[in-house]
């Protein structure tokens, strides 16, 4: 099952991704985490891993990714991967690994004036569309802030969209937008409320489509502290267990 994790900047996408990866691993799944955020460098630390080499380098870097994708166009579709691509086909040099969790980073913007991240999103869209998973594998795709990646089709290869909502007006507004996008692209959408307390959870539940809320994660000192000092989020949280329960039952439906 491939899950796209989205939401506004700082709402907790990467934290939820790392905690969920750990929870699914504990339940015996193999997890491939796809870092689709070209600007931020936090996810590998949250997973307790080193930063992997950009996958885009495997194709010769960002510009070559665009050229190779265009050159590969066949019958209206383009792909630099073969049908039935498996996670195990990815060269080991481009993966960080810890136990049953692997991390693949599509590409990072490192220099001022380097240009846009469109080729990274196109590569990511192609990769996720072609990636074939078995029953015991999950792919978690951690995205950049906002909705730019939707316009590039990154969601097309995913089975389910998970939006992380923090207690802010921007998140509530964005939830409506993402809801419309999900309808347009015919993908199931669910919400995770994050960084809440009793009062803010109530306000959020009154402000978004409650039937889509599958987990509520309180503001947690340990999450905040570990992110601050760059330590792994390798502990359990009730809200994350509930999230994993939901995904497991959804997968088995
Ligand atoms: N449940 C939580 N409780 C406390 N702090 C959190 C929680 N989730 C995320 N954070 C904090 O919010 C900040 C942004 O989190 P991050 O996961 O990097 O967000 P995003 O990937 O959406 O930009 C970090 O400092 C992180 O520690
Ligand atoms: Mg992030």
């Amino acid at each position: 099952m491939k899950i796209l994790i989205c939401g506004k900047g700082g709402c907790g996408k990467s934290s939820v991704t790392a905690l969920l990866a750990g929870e699914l691993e504990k339940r015996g799944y193999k997890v491939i985490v796809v870092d689709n955020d070209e600007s931020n460098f936090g996810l590998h630390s949250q997973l307790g891993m080193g930063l992997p080499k950009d996958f885009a380098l495997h194709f010769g870097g960002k510009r070559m990714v665009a050229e190779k994708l265009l050159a590969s166009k066949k019958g209206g579709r383009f792909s630099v991967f073969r049908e039935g691509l498996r996670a195990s086909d990815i060269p080991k040099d481009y993966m960080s690994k810890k136990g049953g969790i692997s991390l693949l980073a599509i590409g990072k913007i490192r220099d001022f004036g380097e240009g846009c991240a469109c080729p990274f999103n196109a590569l990511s869209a192609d990769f996720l569309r072609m990636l074939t998973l078995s029953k015991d594998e999950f792919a978690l795709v951690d995205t950049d802030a906002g909705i730019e990646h939707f316009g590039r089709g990154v969601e097309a290869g995913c089975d389910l969209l998970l939006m992380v909502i923090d207690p802010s007006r921007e998140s509530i507004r964005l939830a409506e937008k993402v809801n419309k996008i999900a309808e347009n692209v015919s993908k199931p959408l669910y919400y995770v409320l994050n960084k809440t307390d009793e009062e803010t959870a109530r306000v959020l539940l009154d402000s978004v489509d409650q039937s889509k809320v599958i987990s509520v994660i309180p503001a947690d000192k340990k999450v905040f502290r570990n992110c601050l000092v760059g330590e792994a989020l390798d502990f359990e949280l009730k809200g994350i267990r509930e999230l994993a329960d939901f995904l497991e039952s959804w997968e088995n439906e």
Side-chain angles (χ1 to χ4, degrees):
M1 181 177 186
K2 301 177 220 171
I3 300 163
L4 183 102
I5 294 147
C6 65
K8 80 174 236 306
C11 65
K13 296 177 290 300
S14 300
S15 304
V16 168
T17 302
L19 287 159
L20 180 60
E23 180 64 35
L24 291 170
E25 184 205 26
K26 209 172 311 143
R27 297 179 184 208
Y29 294 97
K30 281 194 195 128
V31 186
I32 170 165
V33 179
V34 181
D35 184 353
N36 193 60
D37 183 346
E38 70 284 348
S39 308
N40 291 303
F41 289 81
L43 182 59
H44 66 284
S45 311
Q46 287 159 319
L47 287 163
M49 297 181 187
L51 180 69
K53 202 157 54 153
D54 287 4
F55 193 34
L57 291 174
H58 181 55
F59 303 90
K62 194 165 67 173
R63 188 175 305 159
M64 286 306 292
V65 164
E67 286 183 18
K68 284 188 176 163
L69 273 167
L70 286 173
S72 71
K73 192 165 175 180
K74 272 193 266 165
R77 281 212 139 165
F78 48 80
S79 179
V80 292
F81 302 102
R82 62 167 182 82
E83 290 289 340
L85 174 78
R86 313 294 307 211
S88 54
D89 296 333
I90 302 163
K92 299 279 171 290
D93 307 4
Y94 296 94
M95 295 262 229
S96 293
K97 214 170 166 359
K98 192 174 153 194
I101 306 174
S102 311
L103 172 65
L104 180 73
I106 300 295
K108 299 281 177 193
I109 301 279
R110 291 188 162 78
D111 300 315
F112 170 77
E114 196 186 302
C116 76
C118 302
F120 294 152
N121 276 320
L123 178 62
S124 204
D126 180 16
F127 173 71
L128 291 166
R129 198 162 48 77
M130 302 304 269
L131 181 67
T132 306
L133 298 177
S134 46
K135 269 275 179 206
D136 67 339
E137 288 178 312
F138 271 89
L140 305 181
V141 186
D142 182 26
T143 60
D144 48 322
I147 50 173
E148 155 90 13
H149 47 88
F150 282 116
R152 313 279 168 212
V154 176
E155 79 293 337
C158 296
D159 305 300
L160 184 150
L161 314 179
L162 201 60
M163 180 178 179
V164 180
I165 297 179
D166 68 357
S168 69
R169 222 48 228 168
E170 295 98 295
S171 272
I172 293 169
R173 259 197 302 261
L174 193 62
E176 277 171 37
K177 242 189 214 175
V178 172
N179 199 7
K180 289 209 179 87
I181 293 171
E183 279 174 18
N184 284 337
V185 297
S186 306
K187 295 283 174 187
L189 168 70
Y190 295 97
Y191 298 143
V192 175
L193 309 183
N194 188 32
K195 304 199 210 186
T196 59
D197 59 23
E198 222 171 282
E199 188 186 357
T200 54
R202 219 177 312 117
V203 175
L204 287 179
L205 284 168
D206 286 342
S207 311
V208 300
D209 178 355
Q210 255 191 61
S211 68
K212 289 189 166 14
V213 176
I214 53 171
S215 159
V216 179
I217 304 170
D220 182 277
K221 272 200 178 138
K222 206 164 164 206
V223 174
F224 187 76
R225 182 252 170 214
N226 283 28
C227 288
L228 176 65
V229 298
E231 280 177 20
L233 302 180
D234 52 4
F235 46 86
E236 286 190 30
L237 282 182
K238 182 168 163 275
I240 295 290
R241 276 199 301 271
E242 284 165 4
L243 179 54
D245 288 346
F246 176 86
L247 296 172
E248 269 192 312
S249 64
W250 199 87
E251 166 90 326
N252 293 326
E253 247 171 41

